[in-house]
Amino acid sequence: MKLKGSQVEFIEEDLLRRGISFENLREDLVDHICSEVENRMESGTPFMDAYREAIRPFSARGMSQLNQEATTNLNTLTMLRSYFSLTMRNILKHKVFLVVNIAGLAIGMAACFIILQYVNYEWSFDKFHANSDSIYRITQKTEREDGSPFHTATAYLPIASVVKEEFPEVVDFNRLYFLDRHAVVSYEDRKFEQEAVLYADANFFEFFSYELTTGTASDVLQEVNSVALSETAALKYFDRSDPVGKIVKLTEEFNELTLLVTGVFKDPPPNSHLKPHMVVSMSSYENLPDTKENYWNWPFYMNYVQLRADADPKSLEAGLPDIVAKYFSEDEREKSALFLQPLEDIHLQSKLNYEIETNGDGTLVFLLLGVALLTLVIAYANYINLSTARSLERAKEVGIRKALGSRKSGLVKQFLIEAMLINSIAFIGAAALVQLSRYTFYEYAGLQAELFVFTGIWFWCGLLLLFLIGSVLSSLYPAFVLSSFQPIAALRGKLNYSLGGQQLRRTLVLFQFVASISLMIAAFAVYDQLQYMREKPLGMQIDNLLVVKGPRVMANEMETSEDPFITIVSRNRAVQNVSVSGSVPGIWTASAQNIVRQGSQVGKDVFFSIFGADHRFLETYELELLAGRNFKEGIDGSREAVILNESALLALGFDTPEDAINANIEARGLEMKIVGVIRDYHHFSLKEKINPMILFPIGNGSKEYYTVKVESIDGQFKSTISEIESNWKTIYPDNPFEYFFLNSAFDAQYAADLQFEKVFTAFSLLAVFIACLGLYGLASFVTMKRTKEIGIRKVLGSSVTGIVILLLMDFAKLILVAGLIAVPIAYLGVMDWQSTFAFKADLSPWLFVIPLVAVLSIALLTISIQTLRAAIVNPVDILKYD
Amino acid sequence: MYPSQLLKGTYQTIILKLLKEYNRMYGYEISQKVKEESAGKILLPEGSLYPILHKMAEEGLVRMEKVSIGKRVRRYYSLTSSGASEAKHKVEEFDRFVVTMQQLLAPKFSSQ
């Protein structure tokens, strides 16, 4: 008589419950008992009786005793294999649990890794320098005339050298002058535009760790007029031929130098605040007569010092006032100060004037880190939730095993191994997800792809540590809750919904939804603010405007009354208007103070933005003239005429635009007449206030930008641009043709905010998704637990709808409470974030209601799928077994 | 039926001997065979059989192979070469033991 498959399964399950966890033994016993049962059933004994008889000889001494005897002599490997196979059995039996757990953890981990890599990149800045931890930058603070502080990343040229002289703990120094505008480099008859040009002291390549491929670090910048090039720059100028020994000509804003190439260095790594492509010996610069004369007048130089390893930077900084007292001119001593800044902090902490590049935002990096960790915690909360929920189901098994003498440590081990296994699978899944999605994600978020610097052993150790802590923490709770069950209570089935877990699970779900709803609201608010900034009328028009950067090198003074470039470009049929100005919207303007209404002190303390513009400027940008007139055509004649905006009008104390017309203002003895007043417009992004602004008629020296208004005929842009370029070559043959579109340049001011928005949105959606995944698992479990209750309710006349609502209410209440907690948290966070913007979008209640309703509906939908299934089942199917 | 105190040390010898004789056996078969050949006088307790088999597998005296029969797995045990010599050794040892026991317990016919 052969046993049926289900009977064999029954026997195996029962043995497992009785504590035969060692797989080899279990296989033996199943076969043994099956054979015995088969024997007995031959003679007509029913299955259950035969089974009871068959296991009697084993249970006499206790099954778990047997299990222990069979395993005491085993080596560790066999032991682990046994635990492993048992775990596989356990988790494969609950596929929903398995999939939900692993998917949630994998997604959470993957999100966390991606962000950790980004954070790691941002934190890695300038650490590649061998002495990065002992190098400091000296920054200088002065006062503007109105008493406001002006702190620059730069200082006077001799500062580092005198600091080294005065302080023994300073072992070395290096000074740089970084050209903030592009320079033109010519080799033979070809001209190239070159960015990232700097002058540096001779020890540059010893002081910093940029790697020379040709030339020795101590020699390359030793001589006057020597230059080292990056590999990219060298390739650009000389193609494949040997750069060393070649002569190039450098034309920058003020000087023209003939330089000998002495070395080539590897392109600077992206995680550096200083990314030079052309390094000229400082001696060539110090040779210039202007430089010497202005040693203590021009504060435009980066001063770096290296301290002895054991030196205290604080004590050095405390000595810096002595330098000021000793070397600064008398009227500067009072208001000047010098500071030290660690090299490694520059990228994320320094936001001074005259930085080399726009630095990163340390707070934002921390914020992202927080979001990433939150996502991970939400994922782990899922795990704990589902494990404790499932633990109730296993309470009976555990009760029996404990009653039969299983030791607590064995049980804890079992759960830890289960957690490790699930975590490992999730970890591998996460690695695969990162691999698959990282480039998509970085492209989406506009982050640099090269930030995958997988270097640094601590990064990997950190990940490993995170993984270990995560799996241990997430398994400890379920493990101890389960193994501490009182066998009697567990066997009586008294654990359900009372002990261990119910309260914790509610708290965890609550936490998950507080976190994900807050993130969602924040993402909504960020989107809303950016949308507001992009949609609010700017008071000008910025479309179809092509901006050409003005000439650096003028062949000769072109003092004609009409600008030749404008004349020639205007002939183009597609060109509607051309204007020349000292600034265009979105671009830095000079600012000046001490401008007053004639005969008074009104406006003295105000900073005015000032730049030159021609008579076509207002028309090109469609700025509205409120009173008075535009500039007259031609450069000469009305130099003393100025046009104000409304804010300037207010600052100078005029009541109406009409009052101001023909009134005079004074600036340092110069007298100017107000000829026109324009309506305020947003020269800068809406992050900033509208400055008081003064326009003056442009002179030849300040032709920074040509704005060309072109007809918006699709597809013709290209040919129009190439025509304008050929015009440019005719008028300014010595200057490279550089242009940009004004609207995209203006929007570029929001680039960092857009990036933030995208990352934030992605992560809040992820958080909601993971939380719902957990909710799905939990709902399926709870529903399963309550199938009997559902069956009875249906028999007693409940409708399907009634039952679904009953089951939903439990979760709905929880999520609503989460919403109530999340709203004030999110509100405070959003207010704080918005405070950095000058123009804020109103926080409409919808910002809070929509995310809440969205999360609630997604969550309820998730649960409904489960509950509906349970509610539809015919009660007979459920109840017939009892 | 002999009391188990008397048999305890002999279980391993019995199992080794049976495996040597029948080459390849599974656990239930071993226990049945012992019952059969001893005419029910010796019962190999199930609680001892399997721990002994697993211990011998760990020690390399027996090897195990799995055969799937329907829904369950049958684990066959057979002697390794060291198991075979161990079987020989154990049986010889037991033979000597029996002889000694007989000498010890036999009624003494005085040679006087």
Side-chain angles (χ1 to χ4, degrees):
Chain A
M1 157 116 223
K2 200 110 176 66
L3 284 182
K4 280 185 285 191
S6 61
Q7 290 168 324
V8 178
E9 254 171 53
F10 168 82
I11 292 174
E12 186 169 8
E13 282 301 310
D14 194 57
L15 287 178
L16 196 61
R17 276 204 295 143
R18 286 166 187 270
I20 306 295
S21 58
F22 181 38
E23 194 188 12
N24 293 353
L25 179 64
R26 198 168 56 243
E27 280 174 1
D28 272 329
L29 294 195
V30 167
D31 184 41
H32 185 110
I33 288 165
C34 285
S35 308
E36 179 70 27
V37 169
E38 279 167 358
N39 258 352
R40 285 175 190 273
M41 284 171 78
E42 294 287 341
S43 48
T45 322
F47 171 74
M48 277 316 288
D49 292 342
Y51 177 64
R52 269 184 212 118
E53 283 301 315
I55 61 166
R56 181 166 299 147
F58 293 100
S59 39
R61 283 168 61 217
M63 287 272 187
S64 48
Q65 179 74 25
L66 182 62
N67 193 57
Q68 247 177 51
E69 262 173 48
T71 50
T72 36
N73 294 317
L74 292 181
N75 61 33
T76 336
L77 193 71
T78 329
M79 204 61 201
L80 278 178
R81 211 164 37 211
S82 151
Y83 271 122
F84 182 79
S85 75
L86 186 66
T87 305
M88 283 311 277
R89 253 186 95 80
N90 270 335
I91 58 183
L92 283 177
K93 230 165 45 187
H94 301 83
K95 295 208 177 59
V96 174
F97 167 80
L98 181 75
V99 169
V100 165
N101 242 342
I102 290 180
L105 271 183
I107 295 171
M109 283 181 183
C112 196
F113 291 171
I114 288 185
I115 286 300
L116 279 183
Q117 275 169 338
Y118 173 69
V119 171
N120 184 39
Y121 171 76
E122 287 287 315
W123 283 351
S124 72
F125 265 68
D126 292 306
K127 296 222 167 85
F128 66 95
H129 297 296
N131 300 316
S132 66
D133 54 347
S134 56
I135 294 178
Y136 293 79
R137 183 166 77 176
I138 302 176
T139 64
Q140 184 170 338
K141 193 156 114 180
T142 57
E143 267 175 21
R144 288 176 164 128
E145 290 187 23
D146 65 344
S148 61
F150 189 66
H151 196 164
T152 57
T154 54
Y156 295 131
L157 187 56
I159 291 218
S161 58
V162 301
V163 165
K164 176 165 190 293
E165 264 169 45
E166 304 273 344
F167 297 95
E169 64 260 49
V170 177
V171 289
D172 206 356
F173 70 88
N174 190 276
R175 301 161 308 164
L176 314 170
Y177 177 53
F178 199 93
L179 293 184
D180 54 348
R181 289 197 65 175
H182 298 183
V184 175
V185 173
S186 35
Y187 171 61
E188 291 173 346
D189 57 344
R190 292 188 301 157
K191 285 191 171 63
F192 304 90
E193 195 181 341
Q194 183 61 56
E195 50 183 305
V197 179
L198 57 86
Y199 296 94
D201 277 325
N203 63 344
F204 180 78
F205 289 100
E206 296 167 291
F207 193 85
F208 295 110
S209 303
Y210 300 98
E211 201 182 328
L212 279 169
T213 53
T214 321
T216 44
S218 52
D219 294 346
V220 282
L221 299 176
Q222 221 38 266
E223 300 297 320
V224 176
N225 294 335
S226 50
V227 63
L229 297 171
S230 73
E231 283 176 339
T232 307
L235 196 68
K236 188 162 72 172
Y237 302 149
F238 312 116
D239 206 1
R240 309 230 164 263
S241 65
D242 184 12
V244 173
K246 298 272 196 317
I247 307 277
V248 294
K249 206 174 86 184
L250 169 69
T251 311
E252 42 120 313
E253 216 164 344
F254 305 108
N255 311 297
E256 203 170 279
L257 299 159
T258 305
L259 304 168
L260 175 70
V261 180
T262 51
V264 178
F265 55 95
K266 284 216 170 104
D267 282 354
N271 51 348
S272 163
H273 82 289
L274 187 66
K275 298 185 252 296
H277 279 283
M278 182 166 184
V279 184
V280 185
S281 57
M282 182 60 92
S283 46
S284 354
Y285 184 78
E286 282 185 297
N287 254 359
L288 303 168
D290 268 0
T291 313
K292 283 204 181 92
E293 205 172 289
N294 288 296
Y295 265 175
W296 294 99
N297 287 327
W298 286 350
F300 302 126
Y301 307 92
M302 300 282 165
N303 284 264
Y304 299 88
V305 290
Q306 186 193 335
L307 306 195
R308 227 174 31 220
D310 61 335
D312 177 15
K314 286 223 170 62
S315 76
L316 175 61
E317 197 166 33
L320 290 177
D322 300 341
I323 300 285
V324 175
K326 188 166 171 189
Y327 293 93
F328 280 39
S329 71
E330 215 163 302
D331 53 327
E332 271 200 308
R333 272 174 220 158
E334 281 298 302
K335 49 185 187 182
S336 296
L338 296 173
F339 299 92
L340 277 188
Q341 198 178 39
L343 177 69
E344 292 176 357
D345 285 357
I346 291 176
H347 175 66
L348 287 179
Q349 309 300 338
S350 182
K351 291 220 167 9
L352 304 177
N353 295 295
Y354 307 150
E355 294 281 359
I356 289 173
E357 60 173 21
T358 311
N359 283 331
D361 188 333
T363 326
L364 219 62
V365 170
F366 265 109
L367 211 59
L368 277 181
L369 186 66
V371 172
L373 290 180
L374 208 60
T375 318
L376 193 65
V377 172
I378 290 179
Y380 273 124
N382 267 358
Y383 181 83
I384 297 177
N385 246 346
L386 292 171
S387 303
T388 51
R390 204 165 61 95
S391 69
L392 291 179
E393 194 189 37
R394 291 171 70 179
K396 227 172 213 168
E397 171 197 335
V398 173
I400 292 171
R401 288 177 62 178
K402 285 192 74 173
L404 292 175
S406 265
R407 280 168 305 181
K408 190 166 168 171
S409 69
L411 289 171
V412 172
K413 221 183 288 171
Q414 183 68 48
F415 285 110
L416 282 180
I417 285 173
E418 193 174 312
M420 286 286 186
L421 194 70
I422 289 184
N423 271 282
S424 312
I425 299 173
F427 193 79
I428 294 165
L433 272 179
V434 170
Q435 204 65 25
L436 285 175
S437 66
R438 59 187 205 189
Y439 287 113
T440 323
F441 177 78
Y442 281 110
E443 204 176 272
Y444 163 77
L447 303 171
Q448 283 166 291
E450 71 248 70
L451 54 81
F452 273 87
V453 273
F454 267 123
T455 50
I457 191 90
W458 73 267
F459 180 71
W460 286 109
C461 289
L463 274 193
L464 195 68
L465 198 70
L466 196 72
F467 166 67
L468 281 178
I469 293 175
S471 46
V472 168
L473 279 187
S474 62
S475 61
L476 269 189
Y477 184 79
F480 280 104
V481 164
L482 262 187
S483 56
S484 63
F485 282 163
Q486 292 305 310
I488 303 288
L491 286 172
R492 279 193 188 146
K494 280 204 172 157
L495 283 174
N496 289 9
Y497 303 112
S498 55
L499 190 137
Q502 175 78 340
Q503 211 46 46
L504 174 91
R505 275 203 304 286
R506 289 182 152 275
T507 317
L508 283 178
V509 170
L510 194 68
F511 160 76
Q512 284 184 314
F513 278 90
V514 168
S516 48
I517 293 173
S518 314
L519 283 177
M520 195 84 166
I521 293 176
F524 246 69
V526 170
Y527 172 82
D528 192 55
Q529 172 69 25
L530 292 186
Q531 203 60 17
Y532 164 80
M533 291 197 294
R534 276 175 295 181
E535 278 174 2
K536 187 172 186 288
L538 296 169
M540 62 174 170
Q541 92 80 34
I542 57 171
D543 295 323
N544 298 321
L545 295 180
L546 185 77
V547 178
V548 181
K549 288 190 190 172
R552 318 248 192 295
V553 190
M554 297 267 219
N556 42 37
E557 279 301 305
M558 289 185 280
E559 267 307 337
T560 47
S561 65
E562 184 57 39
D563 185 296
F565 180 64
I566 293 183
T567 314
I568 190 167
V569 168
S570 304
R571 288 186 201 135
N572 192 317
R573 270 185 299 112
V575 171
Q576 294 178 330
N577 216 330
V578 193
S579 155
V580 62
S581 52
S583 169
V584 291
I587 303 279
W588 176 86
T589 66
S591 64
Q593 63 285 321
N594 276 341
I595 295 172
V596 294
R597 193 169 164 174
Q598 195 176 37
S600 77
Q601 291 295 306
V602 182
K604 189 173 188 305
D605 296 333
V606 181
F607 274 86
F608 292 87
S609 289
I610 52 167
F611 63 93
D614 67 358
H615 65 282
R616 303 180 198 85
F617 189 77
L618 300 193
E619 190 188 337
T620 309
Y621 286 96
E622 295 177 12
L623 303 178
E624 190 189 345
L625 197 62
L626 291 176
R629 62 165 176 87
N630 196 347
F631 294 131
K632 283 183 181 144
E633 198 175 330
I635 304 164
D636 297 355
S638 50
R639 273 256 166 109
E640 71 285 356
V642 292
I643 294 178
L644 309 184
N645 70 352
E646 289 173 289
S647 299
L649 196 72
L650 215 66
L652 291 168
F654 294 105
D655 293 329
T656 64
E658 286 74 19
D659 287 353
I661 303 302
N662 292 327
N664 282 336
I665 56 174
E666 275 177 18
R668 293 177 184 166
L670 271 174
E671 207 171 275
M672 288 166 287
K673 190 164 81 180
I674 300 171
V675 297
V677 175
I678 53 171
R679 192 179 286 288
D680 273 348
Y681 72 95
H682 291 278
H683 193 82
F684 295 107
S685 77
L686 274 80
K687 290 193 273 188
E688 287 165 54
K689 298 195 305 273
I690 295 181
N691 262 357
M693 202 166 85
I694 299 176
L695 300 183
F696 60 87
I698 193 159
N700 253 346
S702 54
K703 288 183 177 173
E704 299 280 353
Y705 300 96
Y706 289 99
T707 310
V708 183
K709 180 162 193 202
V710 288
E711 268 176 56
S712 58
I713 302 167
D714 292 327
Q716 287 215 354
F717 252 25
K718 251 200 178 132
S719 64
T720 311
I721 291 171
S722 62
E723 272 178 58
I724 295 172
E725 182 172 5
S726 69
N727 294 341
W728 178 265
K729 293 283 174 218
T730 325
I731 307 293
Y732 299 117
D734 286 341
N735 286 278
F737 177 70
E738 287 175 79
Y739 71 93
F740 56 86
F741 294 101
L742 190 83
N743 48 8
S744 44
F746 195 82
D747 285 344
Q749 296 177 100
Y750 301 121
D753 304 288
L754 281 174
Q755 182 180 325
F756 180 67
E757 178 204 341
K758 282 179 164 179
V759 174
F760 217 91
T761 310
F763 275 86
S764 55
L765 285 178
L766 260 186
V768 173
F769 177 73
I770 297 173
C772 282
L773 208 57
L775 203 60
Y776 176 80
L778 202 59
S780 72
F781 176 79
V782 169
T783 318
M784 195 178 75
K785 273 274 141 190
R786 293 174 77 173
T787 10
K788 208 182 277 176
E789 181 194 333
I790 294 170
I792 293 171
R793 280 177 189 273
K794 278 186 87 171
V795 170
L796 294 178
S798 282
S799 65
V800 173
T801 341
I803 289 170
V804 171
I805 288 175
L806 171 87
L807 291 171
L808 286 188
M809 277 317 280
D810 225 24
F811 288 107
K813 267 187 265 173
L814 208 57
I815 295 170
L816 277 177
V817 173
L820 286 183
I821 301 174
V823 165
I825 296 176
Y827 180 76
L828 291 177
V830 169
M831 289 290 279
D832 190 46
W833 176 75
Q834 261 198 349
S835 67
T836 55
F837 295 87
F839 294 86
K840 302 172 183 64
D842 295 329
L843 293 179
S844 89
W846 290 114
L847 278 184
F848 300 90
V849 173
I850 292 175
L852 190 59
V853 171
V855 171
L856 191 66
S857 346
I858 296 171
L860 291 187
L861 199 70
T862 314
I863 308 167
S864 311
I865 298 170
Q866 278 299 322
T867 43
L868 201 61
R869 200 185 296 160
I872 288 172
V873 173
N874 186 347
V876 176
D877 293 335
I878 305 162
L879 297 175
K880 72 177 171 197
Y881 288 114
D882 284 286
Chain B
M1 212 160 81
Y2 299 115
S4 63
Q5 296 100 299
L6 203 58
L7 297 169
K8 235 174 196 157
T10 66
Y11 294 149
Q12 195 183 354
T13 315
I14 295 173
I15 295 170
L16 281 169
K17 166 72 181 27
L18 280 179
L19 285 177
K20 193 174 182 191
E21 203 173 318
Y22 292 93
N23 223 346
R24 201 176 87 136
M25 299 177 93
Y26 56 96
Y28 184 68
E29 195 182 3
I30 296 175
S31 71
Q32 292 304 98
K33 202 52 111 189
V34 173
K35 207 197 293 183
E36 188 188 311
E37 295 201 349
S38 69
K41 287 191 179 127
I42 293 177
L43 285 184
L44 190 56
E46 284 85 344
S48 304
L49 169 62
Y50 291 103
I52 292 173
L53 277 174
H54 288 278
K55 187 164 166 277
M56 292 201 298
E58 276 295 307
E59 288 167 356
L61 297 179
V62 297
R63 76 172 73 86
M64 188 278 300
E65 54 191 314
K66 290 191 197 184
V67 175
S68 171
I69 52 161
K71 261 298 214 176
R72 61 188 201 251
V73 175
R74 178 156 288 170
R75 292 158 57 93
Y76 280 99
Y77 295 87
S78 54
L79 290 182
T80 62
S81 55
S82 70
S85 58
E86 178 73 10
K88 189 161 169 280
H89 169 74
K90 281 269 182 190
V91 171
E92 283 168 6
E93 187 187 59
F94 191 75
D95 281 344
R96 285 198 301 278
F97 172 71
V98 170
V99 171
T100 315
M101 284 300 279
Q102 276 171 351
Q103 285 170 353
L104 202 63
L105 300 180
K108 301 258 166 80
F109 301 101
S110 80
S111 55
Q112 308 155 350

